[in-house]
Amino acid sequence: MFSKKALTIKEQIAQLQQRGLSIPNVVLAEKYLSNISYYRLGEYWYVMQLDKEQHLFKPNSNFKDVIALYNFDAELRLLLFDVIEKIEISLRTKLIYHLSHEIDPWWFQNLDLFNDSMALVKTLSNLQQELERSKDVTIKNHFKNHKDDKRFPPSWKSLEQTSFGALSKLYGNLKPTIKSKDIIAKEFGAVNHTYLPSWLQSIAQIRNYCAHHSRLWNRNLPGTVKLLSKPPYPWIVDSINVPKQHEFRKLYIHMCLMKYLINIIKPQNDFADRLNDLFVKYPNVDSDALGMKLDWIKEPLWKK
């Protein structure tokens, strides 16, 4: 039976000190712990512990390094969220445009176009909920002016209300015979539809971590991605710097895919500079925990 009692902030600090974490500025530590929970910060000091059963810290472990790591992670999430936003908007635009022209504006309701009808029903159910609670004037006016039309609003209205995750599922669930599926993949530099779904699912998952303020540093990502053997746009040329299959759980390869896509969407982007600036700002951050390669910024992918 769980028997631990809740600790006051002073007790939390005393416990950390007893376990070997240096906290020279107790007042500042109290300020942090009153705004960032002990449990959340624990995800960042966990790696500093020599004995993880007794929670004893390694020599020279310092509270300020915990906060630096926490701040690095927070700024990394903001950076990736900004990059992912542009990818999401581009994907939404391409889906709406190409499928509405190839099929019709209600293509996303057509069960015949999708491999998994049950998955589509679930996606549409979530979309319906989004539309019902939407405060968007366009959506409200559509339902008001088209009361007799029992369909969803057309794709250019409906799909503006849904999430990146739902968009990636719609794309991945499309039958391979749908021409637009390959067209969109080619526009994203993915050659054909077999590669892009795993990229989008990975990025959508990372977007959710960012949106919910979850830790990215030193996190194992459950998704896997399929890489092109010969990408049509700048990629990683040094074989040493290409992540191996067992490294796909680290963030680096997923950031590479984001960079690959954003280079196509917005060629003059500053993703590489901003990411490098983060490592300069926080020099004590262990970049290996993200799967970073030593000369990553020199690769053609990141130079662009």
Side-chain angles (χ1 to χ4, degrees), residues 43 87 107 116 180 185 191 275 301:
E43 293 191 330
I87 297 171
W107 59 270
D116 187 339
S180 295
V191 180
L275 182 57
L301 169 70

Side-chain angles (χ1 to χ4, degrees), residues 5 15 37 49 51 53 73 101 109 120-121 132 185 208-209 238 272 287 301:
K5 67 181 183 70
Q15 178 169 271
S37 76
Q49 292 176 340
D51 184 336
E53 291 293 326
D73 200 43
H101 282 87
Q109 283 188 266
L120 178 63
V121 169
E132 287 174 350
N208 288 340
Y209 287 138
D238 190 335
S287 59
L301 169 70

Side-chain angles (χ1 to χ4, degrees), residues 84 86-92 94-95 163-174 181 184-185 188 190 192-208 223-226 254 257-258 261 265:
I84 293 170
K86 295 174 177 63
I87 297 171
E88 177 180 344
I89 291 171
S90 179
L91 174 63
R92 180 179 283 111
K94 293 180 188 301
L95 279 170
S163 68
F164 188 8
L167 294 171
S168 69
K169 288 174 183 176
L170 279 174
Y171 175 81
N173 196 11
L174 283 168
K181 193 169 187 179
I184 292 170
F188 276 132
N192 62 56
H193 67 269
T194 62
Y195 295 92
L196 187 58
S198 70
W199 302 4
L200 297 177
Q201 289 161 16
S202 152
I203 295 170
Q205 182 180 58
I206 292 167
R207 182 212 174 278
N208 288 340
T224 57
V225 291
K226 297 173 68 175
H254 304 274
L257 291 172
M258 293 180 207
L261 292 172
I265 296 165

